[in-house]
Amino acid sequence: MPDSFAPVPRGDEILDQIRGTFAEKGFDGASMQDLARAAGMSVGNFYRYFLSKGAIVEAIVRRDLESVERDFAAVVSSENPMARLREILRYRIEVKLCEEDAPLWAEITAMAHRNPEIGAVCDRMEAEIRAAFLGIFARVTGLPPAEAERRFAAHAAFLVMLVRAWALDWPQKRAGALELKSLLLRTIDTTLDEVARCDANRLP
């Protein structure tokens, strides 16, 4: 199956230009003409890069997944992986999903429930993130990967669920958002603490 978007250098530039339009008008409200206009090109030329709105969302998800993968690679190579993971999760919640990408990811997350194509793309992204969490947990605890998955699959899924819920609700626009964000971060810390307390050398 061919890629949904052309692998050309201009592609990333176009994604940057149209993210705001997607976030403002939504998946259904933003026409290909709107998106082409935001990218500063004709509709015909725009179709050379993206054949559909679904392809655009897939490209956005793929690119953001690449960013997440770079973050996880930094965690794995860190002298203190768990501390580095906490820093990255805090940054994504406090900055990426508050100041930068909240409207866009709220739209994508909601869209995934309505559109099977987008839902499948987001499911693959979340599966890869869960697997990356489990790889980090195996390293931190010293457990074999299979045992780490058995013990901490729910922890990895719960962390993904928390971040997804924050993106979907975009609660920072509501009263009491600071308290809610603080509770979310404490919950993440508690979940990671449970993993960190597991020591393979002390297991029966």
Side-chain angles (χ1 to χ4, degrees):
M1 177 183 247
D3 286 340
S4 300
F5 62 100
V8 293
R10 184 81 199 277
D12 281 346
E13 179 186 349
I14 293 173
L15 291 178
D16 289 335
Q17 292 169 328
I18 67 177
R19 285 172 82 105
T21 301
F22 244 138
E24 178 184 352
K25 295 192 174 184
F27 181 77
D28 296 323
S31 67
M32 293 296 276
Q33 184 174 3
D34 292 331
L35 298 170
R37 186 181 303 113
M41 61 176 62
S42 68
V43 175
N45 195 27
F46 189 79
Y47 273 107
R48 292 178 52 215
Y49 295 90
F50 301 100
L51 298 178
S52 68
K53 289 190 284 185
I56 296 170
V57 174
E58 182 174 355
I60 291 172
V61 172
R62 285 185 183 181
R63 192 170 69 160
D64 282 17
L65 179 58
E66 290 174 359
S67 172
V68 171
E69 289 172 343
R70 288 192 296 271
D71 283 345
F72 280 134
V75 171
V76 171
S77 62
S78 172
E79 293 184 1
N80 190 335
M82 195 62 84
R84 183 69 177 125
L85 179 59
R86 293 178 198 269
E87 290 174 2
I88 286 172
L89 290 174
R90 180 175 291 272
Y91 170 77
R92 286 195 167 270
I93 287 168
E94 292 190 325
V95 179
K96 292 291 287 181
L97 291 177
C98 278
E99 300 174 9
E100 297 179 12
D101 291 340
L104 179 65
W105 276 103
E107 177 62 23
I108 289 176
T109 305
M111 186 192 316
H113 293 283
R114 306 191 305 266
N115 185 301
E117 178 186 1
I118 302 305
V121 171
C122 291
D123 286 345
R124 290 196 298 272
M125 179 182 188
E126 291 184 5
E128 292 190 39
I129 293 173
R130 288 195 301 271
F133 274 129
L134 289 171
I136 293 169
F137 296 164
R139 183 188 167 191
V140 168
T141 61
L143 292 170
E147 180 64 13
E149 181 174 5
R150 186 183 74 81
R151 288 175 175 268
F152 301 122
H155 293 71
F158 184 55
L159 291 171
V160 171
M161 183 179 71
L162 288 173
V163 176
R164 180 181 59 196
W166 179 257
L168 177 61
D169 286 342
W170 198 10
Q172 58 271 23
K173 296 181 73 173
R174 304 176 184 171
L178 289 177
E179 291 79 3
L180 183 58
K181 181 171 65 177
S182 178
L183 178 59
L184 171 64
L185 292 171
R186 292 199 307 274
T187 303
I188 289 174
D189 281 337
T190 299
T191 304
L192 294 177
D193 286 342
E194 285 191 12
V195 176
R197 282 197 295 270
C198 178
D199 185 348
N201 295 321
R202 299 174 60 183
L203 293 176

